[in-house]
Amino acid sequence: MFDIDIIKSDAPIARLILGHGAGAGKQSDFMQDVAHRLSAAHIEVVLFDFPYMQTITATGKKRPPDKAEKLQSHFKALKQHVDDTHPALPTFIGGKSMGGRMATLIADELEIQGVVVFGYPFHPPGKPEKTRTDHLGAITTPICIIQGERDTFGTKEDIQGYDLGVQVKCHILEDGDHSLKPRKKSGFTYEHHIEQACNIAQAFIKKRSH
């Protein structure tokens, strides 16, 4: 039922359970890169595949994500499983895009210290009127969103028009896209942005782990 990889850390101060985006699972370069960078900063990272991604891996056939309710249910059950089977640590949840959004939807139901999202899907690309922000204004769990400035799922300009509530803090990476990658002409590099993103996540987690 659960397909988990635990990226262990020396003397971990916290645990971060990260859900993947809609199109790529826990083995994607982005998920692996973030997980190993954070584990080097004394944060144990739990990666997992949602059930539909497990099916894709097993069959080699593409399929769309499950409905949000099923994704949320799996995320909650997995968090409980990790709690039951591993040493207690201050726990955070989050993810890339869709996985991060699911984390924000269940955050207030769980005993966690906060949520970290890499590239929140504020709206479908090209459909800025279809926002996915209603629950964020009322959320009571601290949320850290790390967003590319020109993310087609929510640009810096888009975000400035949202009422995200006091618990949601957005960090904008200049010229970054949905995977936080900047264009060459920007003068920034992906390496710089991914390091910056992990530093932001690490600071957020360390501040709330005591």
Side-chain angles (χ1 to χ4, degrees):
M1 181 182 181
F2 300 120
D3 186 5
I4 298 173
D5 289 344
I6 298 183
I7 316 301
K8 292 190 177 294
S9 176
D10 292 334
I13 60 161
R15 173 178 293 131
L16 174 61
I17 304 175
L18 275 182
H20 58 76
K26 61 183 172 66
Q27 293 301 330
S28 71
D29 290 346
F30 184 92
M31 297 295 288
Q32 291 290 324
D33 195 0
V34 166
H36 283 88
R37 286 173 187 266
L38 291 177
S39 74
H42 305 292
I43 298 164
E44 178 182 288
V45 181
V46 179
L47 300 179
F48 68 95
D49 277 346
F50 287 106
Y52 82 94
M53 188 58 68
Q54 296 176 36
T55 302
I56 290 173
T57 302
T59 64
K61 296 179 181 178
K62 288 187 176 182
R63 57 181 294 153
D66 295 315
K67 292 198 182 312
E69 293 77 11
K70 184 172 181 180
L71 297 173
Q72 290 170 52
S73 177
H74 185 80
F75 208 145
K76 287 188 283 189
L78 184 137
K79 193 266 181 187
Q80 187 61 55
H81 172 74
V82 172
D83 286 349
D84 292 343
T85 56
H86 293 81
L89 282 170
T91 298
F92 297 75
I93 63 173
K96 172 80 176 78
S97 192
M98 180 196 76
R101 179 179 170 232
M102 291 306 118
T104 66
L105 287 163
I106 62 174
D108 282 355
E109 301 176 49
L110 304 175
E111 287 189 27
I112 57 170
Q113 273 62 52
V115 178
V116 179
V117 184
F118 298 94
Y120 187 89
F122 286 99
H123 58 73
K127 298 179 180 178
E129 72 283 358
K130 294 193 173 182
T131 55
R132 298 161 173 157
T133 57
D134 287 353
H135 67 294
L136 295 176
I139 210 159
T140 60
T141 305
I143 309 286
C144 173
I145 295 175
I146 303 160
Q147 196 83 356
E149 181 180 27
R150 57 187 181 88
D151 189 333
T152 55
F153 289 81
T155 64
K156 177 182 179 181
E157 191 176 349
D158 291 335
I159 294 168
Q160 287 171 345
Y162 300 145
D163 178 13
L164 297 179
V166 296
Q167 292 286 22
V168 180
K169 173 69 174 173
C170 286
H171 301 265
I172 306 296
L173 299 187
E174 288 187 61
D175 203 66
D177 64 9
H178 191 51
S179 293
L180 310 181
K181 290 180 181 176
R183 294 168 294 189
K184 281 186 178 179
K185 68 180 183 181
S186 71
F188 295 100
T189 64
Y190 178 63
E191 170 68 23
H192 173 271
H193 274 14
I194 203 74
E195 181 178 353
Q196 189 179 356
C198 290
N199 286 342
I200 291 167
Q202 173 188 330
F204 173 81
I205 290 170
K206 288 189 173 180
K207 183 178 178 181
R208 291 163 180 82
S209 294
H210 305 295

